[in-house]
Tab-separated table of all heavy atoms in Angstrom:
chain	number	residue	atom	x	y	z
A	280	ASN	N	65.253	5.249	137.950
A	280	ASN	CA	66.077	4.154	138.450
A	280	ASN	C	65.389	3.453	139.602
A	280	ASN	O	65.384	2.225	139.688
A	280	ASN	CB	67.444	4.676	138.894
A	280	ASN	CG	68.249	5.196	137.713
A	280	ASN	OD1	68.027	4.795	136.582
A	280	ASN	ND2	69.164	6.099	137.979
A	293	TYR	N	57.722	-11.943	142.712
A	293	TYR	CA	56.547	-12.566	142.103
A	293	TYR	C	56.892	-13.968	141.614
A	293	TYR	O	56.118	-14.913	141.800
A	293	TYR	CB	56.057	-11.695	140.940
A	293	TYR	CG	54.659	-11.988	140.491
A	293	TYR	CD1	53.576	-11.616	141.273
A	293	TYR	CD2	54.414	-12.609	139.280
A	293	TYR	CE1	52.285	-11.860	140.861
A	293	TYR	CE2	53.123	-12.861	138.861
A	293	TYR	CZ	52.062	-12.484	139.651
A	293	TYR	OH	50.779	-12.736	139.243
A	305	GLU	N	51.383	-28.655	142.604
A	305	GLU	CA	51.584	-29.686	141.588
A	305	GLU	C	52.531	-30.810	141.976
A	305	GLU	O	52.464	-31.906	141.412
A	305	GLU	CB	52.117	-29.033	140.300
A	305	GLU	CG	51.160	-28.090	139.634
A	305	GLU	CD	50.123	-28.803	138.789
A	305	GLU	OE1	50.427	-29.878	138.238
A	305	GLU	OE2	48.987	-28.306	138.707
A	309	GLU	N	52.343	-34.725	140.821
A	309	GLU	CA	53.334	-35.177	139.863
A	309	GLU	C	53.994	-36.468	140.328
A	309	GLU	O	54.075	-37.446	139.574
A	309	GLU	CB	54.412	-34.092	139.676
A	309	GLU	CG	55.433	-34.460	138.629
A	309	GLU	CD	56.633	-33.531	138.624
A	309	GLU	OE1	56.911	-32.904	139.664
A	309	GLU	OE2	57.295	-33.433	137.582
A	333	ASP	N	63.992	-53.072	124.105
A	333	ASP	CA	62.717	-53.193	123.403
A	333	ASP	C	61.822	-52.015	123.748
A	333	ASP	O	61.235	-51.354	122.889
A	333	ASP	CB	61.988	-54.482	123.808
A	333	ASP	CG	62.716	-55.703	123.310
A	333	ASP	OD1	63.502	-55.574	122.355
A	333	ASP	OD2	62.501	-56.776	123.898
A	336	GLU	N	62.838	-48.795	122.287
A	336	GLU	CA	62.529	-48.707	120.879
A	336	GLU	C	61.065	-48.319	120.682
A	336	GLU	O	60.743	-47.432	119.891
A	336	GLU	CB	62.825	-50.062	120.210
A	336	GLU	CG	62.475	-50.141	118.743
A	336	GLU	CD	63.314	-49.209	117.899
A	336	GLU	OE1	64.363	-48.743	118.371
A	336	GLU	OE2	62.900	-48.916	116.760
A	352	GLN	N	50.109	-31.842	109.683
A	352	GLN	CA	50.282	-30.539	110.319
A	352	GLN	C	50.831	-29.486	109.373
A	352	GLN	O	50.832	-28.311	109.699
A	352	GLN	CB	51.252	-30.651	111.507
A	352	GLN	CG	50.786	-31.571	112.618
A	352	GLN	CD	49.575	-31.022	113.336
A	352	GLN	OE1	49.259	-29.830	113.235
A	352	GLN	NE2	48.858	-31.870	114.030
A	377	GLY	N	60.576	-29.352	111.365
A	377	GLY	CA	61.476	-30.479	111.510
A	377	GLY	C	62.738	-30.342	110.691
A	377	GLY	O	63.772	-30.923	111.010
A	378	THR	N	62.641	-29.561	109.608
A	378	THR	CA	63.826	-29.389	108.779
A	378	THR	C	64.595	-28.153	109.249
A	378	THR	O	64.020	-27.231	109.818
A	378	THR	CB	63.440	-29.167	107.311
A	378	THR	OG1	62.619	-27.998	107.240
A	378	THR	CG2	62.669	-30.347	106.760
A	388	TYR	N	61.043	-15.358	109.632
A	388	TYR	CA	59.624	-15.045	109.600
A	388	TYR	C	59.192	-14.337	110.880
A	388	TYR	O	58.417	-13.394	110.853
A	388	TYR	CB	58.849	-16.356	109.421
A	388	TYR	CG	57.392	-16.190	109.100
A	388	TYR	CD1	56.995	-15.672	107.874
A	388	TYR	CD2	56.409	-16.562	110.002
A	388	TYR	CE1	55.664	-15.524	107.568
A	388	TYR	CE2	55.071	-16.421	109.708
A	388	TYR	CZ	54.701	-15.912	108.485
A	388	TYR	OH	53.377	-15.766	108.185
A	406	ARG	N	41.818	1.602	117.661
A	406	ARG	CA	40.613	1.895	116.884
A	406	ARG	C	39.386	1.372	117.620
A	406	ARG	O	38.349	2.041	117.688
A	406	ARG	CB	40.686	1.231	115.502
A	406	ARG	CG	41.706	1.811	114.558
A	406	ARG	CD	41.274	3.129	113.953
A	406	ARG	NE	41.544	4.249	114.832
A	406	ARG	CZ	40.939	5.437	114.753
A	406	ARG	NH1	40.036	5.652	113.840
A	406	ARG	NH2	41.263	6.403	115.578
A	530	THR	N	63.388	10.444	129.058
A	530	THR	CA	63.768	11.507	128.146
A	530	THR	C	63.568	12.863	128.784
A	530	THR	O	64.307	13.799	128.509
A	530	THR	CB	62.943	11.431	126.859
A	530	THR	OG1	61.557	11.566	127.201
A	530	THR	CG2	63.143	10.099	126.183
A	563	ARG	N	54.678	33.444	133.118
A	563	ARG	CA	54.643	32.712	131.882
A	563	ARG	C	53.263	32.171	131.615
A	563	ARG	O	52.783	32.120	130.513
A	563	ARG	CB	55.614	31.567	131.987
A	563	ARG	CG	55.611	30.845	130.665
A	563	ARG	CD	56.738	30.057	130.500
A	563	ARG	NE	56.831	29.638	129.120
A	563	ARG	CZ	57.391	28.539	128.828
A	563	ARG	NH1	57.844	27.797	129.799
A	563	ARG	NH2	57.519	28.179	127.583
A	566	PHE	N	51.280	34.877	130.299
A	566	PHE	CA	51.731	35.115	128.938
A	566	PHE	C	51.233	34.019	128.030
A	566	PHE	O	50.731	34.248	126.945
A	566	PHE	CB	53.253	35.174	128.917
A	566	PHE	CG	53.795	35.327	127.539
A	566	PHE	CD1	53.769	36.560	126.908
A	566	PHE	CD2	54.299	34.240	126.857
A	566	PHE	CE1	54.259	36.699	125.623
A	566	PHE	CE2	54.794	34.376	125.581
A	566	PHE	CZ	54.781	35.607	124.958
A	572	CYS	N	47.821	30.161	121.074
A	572	CYS	CA	46.807	30.036	120.046
A	572	CYS	C	45.499	30.609	120.521
A	572	CYS	O	45.023	30.257	121.589
A	572	CYS	CB	46.580	28.584	119.690
A	572	CYS	SG	48.073	27.747	119.196
A	600	LEU	N	37.405	11.409	122.703
A	600	LEU	CA	38.788	11.274	123.153
A	600	LEU	C	39.294	12.607	123.641
A	600	LEU	O	40.075	12.696	124.566
A	600	LEU	CB	39.656	10.773	121.994
A	600	LEU	CG	41.143	10.612	122.304
A	600	LEU	CD1	41.344	9.480	123.288
A	600	LEU	CD2	41.912	10.351	121.045
A	606	SER	N	44.489	18.227	125.938
A	606	SER	CA	43.982	19.553	125.616
A	606	SER	C	42.855	19.936	126.540
A	606	SER	O	42.781	21.051	127.030
A	606	SER	CB	43.482	19.599	124.177
A	606	SER	OG	44.348	18.915	123.353
A	609	VAL	N	44.017	20.733	129.850
A	609	VAL	CA	44.680	22.022	129.808
A	609	VAL	C	43.660	23.123	129.900
A	609	VAL	O	43.821	24.088	130.634
A	609	VAL	CB	45.490	22.143	128.499
A	609	VAL	CG1	45.785	23.582	128.184
A	609	VAL	CG2	46.770	21.362	128.632
A	641	ARG	N	54.015	9.013	122.873
A	641	ARG	CA	54.998	8.187	122.218
A	641	ARG	C	56.346	8.832	122.390
A	641	ARG	O	56.493	10.016	122.224
A	641	ARG	CB	54.629	8.045	120.750
A	641	ARG	CG	55.649	7.317	119.934
A	641	ARG	CD	55.070	6.928	118.615
A	641	ARG	NE	54.612	8.058	117.831
A	641	ARG	CZ	55.419	8.884	117.178
A	641	ARG	NH1	56.711	8.726	117.233
A	641	ARG	NH2	54.934	9.881	116.477
A	643	SER	N	60.035	9.689	121.269
A	643	SER	CA	60.757	9.752	120.013
A	643	SER	C	62.221	9.805	120.334
A	643	SER	O	62.633	10.399	121.318
A	643	SER	CB	60.350	10.992	119.222
A	643	SER	OG	60.788	12.143	119.888
B	579	ASN	N	42.538	5.074	110.478
B	579	ASN	CA	41.788	3.945	109.933
B	579	ASN	C	42.531	3.328	108.761
B	579	ASN	O	42.613	2.106	108.644
B	579	ASN	CB	40.392	4.394	109.497
B	579	ASN	CG	39.547	4.842	110.661
B	579	ASN	OD1	39.758	4.417	111.783
B	579	ASN	ND2	38.601	5.721	110.404
B	592	TYR	N	50.936	-11.577	105.161
B	592	TYR	CA	52.128	-12.173	105.737
B	592	TYR	C	51.849	-13.596	106.188
B	592	TYR	O	52.658	-14.498	105.973
B	592	TYR	CB	52.590	-11.313	106.923
B	592	TYR	CG	54.002	-11.542	107.356
B	592	TYR	CD1	55.076	-11.104	106.583
B	592	TYR	CD2	54.291	-12.195	108.556
B	592	TYR	CE1	56.377	-11.302	106.982
B	592	TYR	CE2	55.597	-12.404	108.962
B	592	TYR	CZ	56.635	-11.952	108.173
B	592	TYR	OH	57.925	-12.152	108.583
B	604	GLU	N	58.032	-28.017	104.748
B	604	GLU	CA	57.879	-29.060	105.751
B	604	GLU	C	56.981	-30.219	105.333
B	604	GLU	O	57.103	-31.327	105.863
B	604	GLU	CB	57.299	-28.456	107.051
B	604	GLU	CG	58.197	-27.470	107.758
B	604	GLU	CD	59.285	-28.141	108.569
B	604	GLU	OE1	59.058	-29.245	109.099
B	604	GLU	OE2	60.383	-27.571	108.657
B	608	GLU	N	57.300	-34.218	106.415
B	608	GLU	CA	56.278	-34.749	107.316
B	608	GLU	C	55.717	-36.042	106.750
B	608	GLU	O	55.583	-37.054	107.450
B	608	GLU	CB	55.160	-33.713	107.485
B	608	GLU	CG	54.085	-34.157	108.466
B	608	GLU	CD	52.875	-33.253	108.440
B	608	GLU	OE1	52.627	-32.602	107.404
B	608	GLU	OE2	52.162	-33.210	109.460
B	618	ARG	N	57.480	-48.549	110.899
B	618	ARG	CA	58.231	-49.066	112.041
B	618	ARG	C	57.278	-49.595	113.107
B	618	ARG	O	57.543	-50.620	113.741
B	618	ARG	CB	59.091	-47.926	112.611
B	618	ARG	CG	60.044	-48.344	113.679
B	618	ARG	CD	61.342	-48.903	113.099
B	618	ARG	NE	62.170	-49.456	114.186
B	618	ARG	CZ	62.196	-50.735	114.514
B	618	ARG	NH1	61.466	-51.611	113.860
B	618	ARG	NH2	62.948	-51.164	115.513
B	626	TYR	N	56.519	-58.149	118.258
B	626	TYR	CA	56.123	-58.480	119.626
B	626	TYR	C	54.703	-59.001	119.707
B	626	TYR	O	54.170	-59.216	120.791
B	626	TYR	CB	56.275	-57.243	120.525
B	626	TYR	CG	57.699	-56.774	120.592
B	626	TYR	CD1	58.093	-55.601	119.965
B	626	TYR	CD2	58.668	-57.530	121.252
B	626	TYR	CE1	59.409	-55.183	120.010
B	626	TYR	CE2	59.985	-57.114	121.301
B	626	TYR	CZ	60.350	-55.935	120.682
B	626	TYR	OH	61.648	-55.515	120.734
B	651	GLN	N	59.437	-32.070	137.564
B	651	GLN	CA	59.222	-30.744	136.986
B	651	GLN	C	58.652	-29.740	137.954
B	651	GLN	O	58.635	-28.559	137.669
B	651	GLN	CB	58.254	-30.856	135.789
B	651	GLN	CG	58.764	-31.709	134.654
B	651	GLN	CD	59.956	-31.072	133.961
B	651	GLN	OE1	60.224	-29.885	134.116
B	651	GLN	NE2	60.682	-31.859	133.213
B	677	THR	N	46.765	-30.371	137.687
B	677	THR	CA	45.617	-30.256	138.584
B	677	THR	C	44.795	-29.039	138.178
B	677	THR	O	45.313	-28.078	137.613
B	677	THR	CB	46.071	-30.068	140.042
B	677	THR	OG1	46.820	-28.847	140.123
B	677	THR	CG2	46.933	-31.214	140.505
B	687	TYR	N	47.773	-16.106	138.064
B	687	TYR	CA	49.181	-15.722	138.122
B	687	TYR	C	49.582	-14.960	136.867
B	687	TYR	O	50.273	-13.950	136.915
B	687	TYR	CB	50.029	-16.987	138.269
B	687	TYR	CG	51.477	-16.757	138.603
B	687	TYR	CD1	51.857	-16.262	139.846
B	687	TYR	CD2	52.471	-17.039	137.684
B	687	TYR	CE1	53.182	-16.049	140.163
B	687	TYR	CE2	53.803	-16.836	137.995
B	687	TYR	CZ	54.150	-16.345	139.236
B	687	TYR	OH	55.476	-16.151	139.548
B	705	ARG	N	66.057	2.105	130.543
B	705	ARG	CA	67.249	2.470	131.315
B	705	ARG	C	68.511	2.064	130.570
B	705	ARG	O	69.494	2.798	130.505
B	705	ARG	CB	67.219	1.771	132.681
B	705	ARG	CG	66.158	2.286	133.649
B	705	ARG	CD	66.525	3.590	134.283
B	705	ARG	NE	66.210	4.723	133.438
B	705	ARG	CZ	66.793	5.919	133.515
B	705	ARG	NH1	67.722	6.132	134.416
B	705	ARG	NH2	66.444	6.880	132.714
B	819	ARG	N	57.360	3.069	119.587
B	819	ARG	CA	56.796	4.299	119.039
B	819	ARG	C	55.641	4.026	118.083
B	819	ARG	O	54.697	4.795	117.999
B	819	ARG	CB	57.876	5.088	118.326
B	819	ARG	CG	58.314	4.403	117.029
B	819	ARG	CD	59.559	4.993	116.490
B	819	ARG	NE	60.608	4.870	117.465
B	819	ARG	CZ	61.567	5.769	117.614
B	819	ARG	NH1	61.612	6.807	116.849
B	819	ARG	NH2	62.483	5.621	118.535
B	826	GLU	N	48.102	9.024	119.064
B	826	GLU	CA	48.584	10.390	118.913
B	826	GLU	C	47.930	11.103	117.757
B	826	GLU	O	47.626	12.295	117.838
B	826	GLU	CB	50.098	10.365	118.761
B	826	GLU	CG	50.713	10.047	120.105
B	826	GLU	CD	52.174	9.758	120.001
B	826	GLU	OE1	52.645	9.549	118.872
B	826	GLU	OE2	52.817	9.726	121.056
B	828	GLU	N	44.974	10.522	116.817
B	828	GLU	CA	43.633	10.805	117.320
B	828	GLU	C	43.649	12.092	118.141
B	828	GLU	O	42.788	12.958	118.008
B	828	GLU	CB	43.184	9.624	118.188
B	828	GLU	CG	41.706	9.531	118.441
B	828	GLU	CD	40.885	9.341	117.194
B	828	GLU	OE1	41.377	8.768	116.211
B	828	GLU	OE2	39.732	9.794	117.213
B	833	GLU	N	42.634	17.961	118.625
B	833	GLU	CA	43.103	19.332	118.821
B	833	GLU	C	42.878	20.186	117.606
B	833	GLU	O	42.535	21.356	117.709
B	833	GLU	CB	44.579	19.291	119.202
B	833	GLU	CG	44.763	18.884	120.654
B	833	GLU	CD	46.157	18.379	120.930
B	833	GLU	OE1	46.987	18.426	120.004
B	833	GLU	OE2	46.398	17.947	122.056
B	896	CYS	N	51.126	26.773	116.172
B	896	CYS	CA	50.830	27.625	117.313
B	896	CYS	C	52.040	27.766	118.207
B	896	CYS	O	52.330	28.841	118.709
B	896	CYS	CB	49.655	27.059	118.105
B	896	CYS	SG	48.110	27.234	117.206
B	900	TRP	N	54.201	30.934	118.851
B	900	TRP	CA	54.389	31.416	120.205
B	900	TRP	C	55.841	31.826	120.417
B	900	TRP	O	56.151	32.868	120.974
B	900	TRP	CB	53.975	30.327	121.176
B	900	TRP	CG	54.114	30.704	122.603
B	900	TRP	CD1	53.715	31.860	123.181
B	900	TRP	CD2	54.693	29.908	123.607
B	900	TRP	NE1	54.006	31.836	124.506
B	900	TRP	CE2	54.598	30.654	124.805
B	900	TRP	CE3	55.273	28.642	123.643
B	900	TRP	CZ2	55.072	30.158	126.006
B	900	TRP	CZ3	55.735	28.153	124.847
B	900	TRP	CH2	55.636	28.915	126.005
B	907	LEU	N	58.830	39.652	121.621
B	907	LEU	CA	58.483	40.209	122.925
B	907	LEU	C	59.717	40.449	123.773
B	907	LEU	O	59.774	41.316	124.619
B	907	LEU	CB	57.544	39.226	123.641
B	907	LEU	CG	56.379	39.838	124.390
B	907	LEU	CD1	55.503	40.627	123.433
B	907	LEU	CD2	55.571	38.752	125.055
B	952	PRO	N	64.776	12.969	122.374
B	952	PRO	CA	63.909	11.882	122.811
B	952	PRO	C	62.845	12.388	123.758
B	952	PRO	O	62.729	11.955	124.877
B	952	PRO	CB	64.872	10.938	123.515
B	952	PRO	CG	65.932	11.821	124.047
B	952	PRO	CD	66.075	12.952	123.048
B	965	SER	N	55.633	23.330	130.970
B	965	SER	CA	56.728	24.131	131.479
B	965	SER	C	56.404	24.696	132.844
B	965	SER	O	57.257	25.238	133.505
B	965	SER	CB	57.051	25.255	130.514
B	965	SER	OG	55.886	26.022	130.312
B	979	SER	N	57.016	12.621	113.932
B	979	SER	CA	55.912	11.678	113.791
B	979	SER	C	56.355	10.247	113.817
B	979	SER	O	55.691	9.395	114.326
B	979	SER	CB	55.204	11.920	112.466
B	979	SER	OG	54.177	12.830	112.660
Side-chain angles (χ1 to χ4, degrees):
Chain A
N280 294 336
Y293 197 72
E305 295 279 329
E309 183 191 24
D333 292 339
E336 177 65 17
Q352 298 292 343
T378 59
Y388 191 69
R406 291 284 83 201
T530 60
R563 182 161 193 209
F566 176 78
C572 305
L600 179 68
S606 319
V609 160
R641 174 166 60 76
S643 67
Chain B
N579 295 334
Y592 198 72
E604 294 281 328
E608 183 190 25
R618 187 84 187 97
Y626 298 109
Q651 298 292 344
T677 62
Y687 191 69
R705 290 283 83 203
R819 70 193 59 214
E826 287 170 346
E828 198 62 28
E833 283 160 4
C896 289
W900 180 46
L907 221 60
S965 57
S979 269

